[in-house]
Amino acid sequence: MNQSTDIIIIGGGIIGLSLAVELKLRSSGSVTVLSRNFSEAAAHVAAGMLAPQAEAIESAPMLDLCLRSRALYSDWISKLESLTGIETGYWQCGILAPVYQTPEQITAFWLNKDAIHQFQPNLGAEIVGGWWYPQDAQVDNRRALIKALKMAAIDLGVNLRENVAVQEIQQHQSQVTTLITNQGQFSASHYILAAGAWAGNLFSVPVAPVKGQMLSVRVPNSFSELPLQRILFGENCYIVPRRDGLIVIGATVEDVGFTPEMTPAGVNTLLDRAIRLYPLLKDFPIEEFWWGFRPGTPDELPILGASGLTNLTFATGHYRNGILLAPVTAKLIGDLILEGKSDRLLEAFRWDRFGD
Ligand code: GLY
């Protein structure tokens, strides 16, 4: 049977779901999301940092995109929370980025050794200073945001289809004609490829998995208040405290394809780095381990906007910044598909920048 709809989004991660919600809020057309397995999306893995400054994104188009998305976050979250009643853990807690060697260039936001240890007690003794980014923030992606997006999508009438693996994107005369899946054929007037780390398996875009292993610990009940109330973003390690005492620690960056599972080396690396940065957590009980796959691209920038096919749009390859970039991606791709408006920012993220 061929199931037909106005727009099909291939991928049920944060980008696919954010787009589905945006499209349904702004139009009356039918929207279907096809997902092989919702729980494998990178959104279930990330720490939920909204960190354009801590991630040291310096080049103009990407920094513009990230700052624009961070600025959209508060309203976007309010809308989602009022649609669903789910509290998403959005917290403008700021990010402190300590370092072990004094940099040559000291810019605004720099705290010297005395200042940083006074500002944040219990940091590792080797820390010589760091940057404070008060506007960077976080959201509880795993436990709340992704649930809110899913619920909003369902309430708005999006057709969410899980266990549907797209096997082939069929084309004819510069158009997608049909998706061949393990559950039959699907067709639509327009298609969006938002398949994250799996996008490169479905279409000739250079997106490949970059594995991240993570774990969490919990602040013991003996603490009368949370010892950490801002994110620590160290060298190859971040520590993200949630308001309920959970502390998320991430993440490895591994080029091992889709090799699953935690590894002893991965856990060892995470714990060594986290304890060096914030030794207090060495006795905190471990709560959980998990891993997943970021959608990496050769230049580590997303692939957004028009494709070589008239009815296929790209929204993929967000690498380390999918949670942050969800609102701006939904907004700009929504403008493009529903109103034919192409923001100048999209130009920098075109699929054909990679050449052949
Ligand atoms: N956004 C942080 C990471 O991908 O590890």
Side-chain angles (χ1 to χ4, degrees):
M1 192 176 78
N2 189 337
Q3 303 175 55
S4 188
T5 186
D6 291 324
I7 299 178
I8 291 180
I9 300 169
I10 306 168
I14 189 163
I15 300 297
L17 291 173
S18 303
L19 266 161
V21 168
E22 176 86 10
L23 294 170
K24 280 307 274 185
L25 283 171
R26 291 173 54 181
S27 78
S28 56
S30 56
V31 177
T32 297
V33 173
L34 303 182
S35 169
R36 201 171 32 82
N37 180 347
F38 282 113
S39 69
E40 282 191 354
H44 290 275
V45 182
M49 288 182 295
L50 309 175
Q53 288 175 297
E55 285 274 3
I57 293 162
E58 277 158 10
S59 71
M62 183 61 169
L63 185 61
D64 288 352
L65 192 74
C66 290
L67 291 177
R68 218 200 271 191
S69 207
R70 191 182 65 184
L72 292 173
Y73 236 89
S74 170
D75 286 351
W76 187 68
I77 287 290
S78 300
K79 190 169 59 186
L80 270 180
E81 290 188 346
S82 64
L83 277 170
T84 63
I86 294 178
E87 206 277 302
T88 60
Y90 175 61
W91 183 11
Q92 288 177 300
C93 58
I95 299 186
L96 185 64
V99 295
Y100 299 108
Q101 284 184 328
T102 307
E104 280 173 16
Q105 280 203 320
I106 303 293
T107 55
F109 309 110
W110 172 255
L111 301 178
N112 67 22
K113 187 168 184 177
D114 286 347
I116 198 168
H117 285 275
Q118 196 172 2
F119 184 58
Q120 178 56 61
N122 300 309
L123 289 176
E126 296 166 85
I127 287 165
V128 297
W131 282 271
W132 168 234
Y133 301 116
Q135 289 175 290
D136 280 355
Q138 65 164 295
V139 65
D140 195 341
N141 52 302
R142 290 188 84 211
R143 295 185 300 175
L145 177 60
I146 202 79
K147 287 196 182 97
L149 279 167
K150 229 169 152 178
M151 183 188 282
I154 291 167
D155 290 353
L156 291 166
V158 173
N159 183 17
L160 289 188
R161 297 289 308 268
E162 189 159 19
N163 301 317
V164 179
V166 175
Q167 294 159 334
E168 193 188 333
I169 300 177
Q170 291 200 322
Q171 312 166 27
H172 183 64
Q173 294 184 336
S174 301
Q175 282 210 325
V176 176
T177 51
T178 316
L179 302 179
I180 309 294
T181 81
N182 62 336
Q183 307 266 351
Q185 297 189 8
F186 288 77
S187 57
S189 310
H190 201 94
Y191 301 81
I192 303 174
L193 184 63
W198 292 266
N201 294 350
L202 297 175
F203 206 83
S204 55
V205 280
V207 182
V210 180
K211 185 178 176 184
Q213 301 185 46
M214 304 187 73
L215 60 87
S216 58
V217 297
R218 183 165 283 283
V219 177
N221 289 336
S222 52
F223 283 77
S224 57
E225 65 173 30
L226 295 180
L228 196 57
Q229 304 212 17
R230 56 183 67 97
I231 295 168
L232 300 182
F233 195 108
E235 292 169 15
N236 304 311
C237 172
Y238 44 80
I239 300 177
V240 184
R242 304 287 193 224
R243 281 199 181 101
D244 67 349
L246 191 76
I247 295 183
V248 175
I249 297 172
T252 62
V253 179
E254 299 170 72
D255 184 12
V256 293
F258 285 108
T259 308
E261 304 296 348
M262 299 298 291
T263 62
V267 174
N268 201 27
T269 302
L270 287 174
L271 289 174
D272 271 356
R273 289 176 182 164
I275 292 169
R276 185 177 183 213
L277 184 59
Y278 191 63
L280 193 68
L281 58 70
K282 72 181 190 313
D283 298 318
F284 291 4
I286 292 183
E287 184 132 321
E288 204 186 342
F289 298 92
W290 67 95
W291 76 93
F293 303 104
R294 305 172 184 86
T297 62
D299 57 8
E300 301 184 353
L301 303 179
I303 300 174
L304 303 175
S307 70
L309 305 181
T310 55
N311 62 346
L312 175 70
T313 300
F314 293 131
T316 192
H318 291 72
Y319 187 42
R320 295 177 65 94
N321 297 295
I323 307 290
L324 169 64
L325 291 175
V328 80
T329 302
K331 166 88 176 66
L332 297 185
I333 299 296
D335 289 349
L336 183 67
I337 291 175
L338 298 175
E339 298 173 27
K341 257 182 17 196
S342 185
D343 192 284
R344 68 167 179 86
L345 256 184
L346 286 178
E347 281 301 303
F349 304 103
R350 287 177 59 92
W351 66 286
D352 50 4
R353 68 182 185 271
F354 301 107
D356 291 329

